[in-house]
Amino acid sequence: MERSQIHRVSVADQVALVLRQRILNGELRPGTPLQEVPLAASLGVSRNTMREATRILSLENLLKRSIHRGVAVSQLSIKDVREIYHLRRMLEVSGVLGAKDGRSEVLPELRHAVEGYERAVRE
């Protein structure tokens, strides 16, 4: 009998997942300070668990820790924005060129991706 992979997720990882989704969905805007005690209470976890979750997200650069100021949602710098658009250009131009080279199965995927993007912008 083969062993199954069991994925154990800590409570801190679960809290980090919730906060990550709130950041990526725009519920927590850049620059928003996160107050540890009220946030921990709203999620029903301890301050230590909340602290660990914010540490995880700080390592991912989604949150920024400041001495004597606490934790806040990170803001993109000009360098970050340039890097994002540089990567987008590399990936998107390659995708369009690949579709243009006769790989017709790519066009529906591109159309679906653009429709998803437009739907996200509307929402």
Side-chain angles (χ1 to χ4, degrees):
M1 180 177 213
E2 288 185 35
R3 285 188 147 187
S4 300
Q5 290 284 336
I6 297 175
H7 300 283
R8 296 174 196 232
V9 180
S10 72
V11 176
D13 286 329
Q14 292 175 56
V15 171
L17 178 65
V18 168
L19 294 176
R20 185 181 301 109
Q21 282 306 113
R22 288 181 181 177
I23 292 167
L24 296 177
N25 291 338
E27 293 173 48
L28 294 172
R29 310 284 299 167
T32 303
L34 300 182
Q35 296 178 347
E36 189 177 275
V37 174
L39 197 52
S42 73
L43 293 172
V45 297
S46 71
R47 289 177 65 186
N48 285 337
T49 300
M50 181 56 62
R51 200 169 291 128
E52 177 62 18
T54 59
R55 187 190 69 76
I56 291 167
L57 295 176
S58 294
L59 292 172
E60 296 174 10
N61 291 322
L62 289 173
L63 297 180
K64 182 178 181 185
R65 291 182 177 274
S66 299
I67 296 173
H68 304 298
R69 292 188 182 206
V71 179
V73 179
S74 294
Q75 295 184 350
L76 293 177
S77 68
I78 296 296
K79 180 182 174 191
D80 294 332
V81 173
R82 282 189 184 125
E83 185 175 309
I84 288 167
Y85 279 98
H86 176 73
L87 290 170
R88 281 189 66 184
R89 184 176 2 165
M90 287 175 27
L91 295 171
E92 291 172 6
V93 169
S94 296
V96 169
L97 291 175
K100 194 172 124 179
D101 289 341
R103 296 187 350 209
S104 60
E105 74 276 359
V106 175
L107 288 175
E109 291 178 33
L110 288 174
R111 184 170 289 113
H112 179 71
V114 169
E115 289 168 356
Y117 170 76
E118 290 171 346
R119 189 171 37 255
V121 168
R122 280 193 307 271
E123 293 173 0

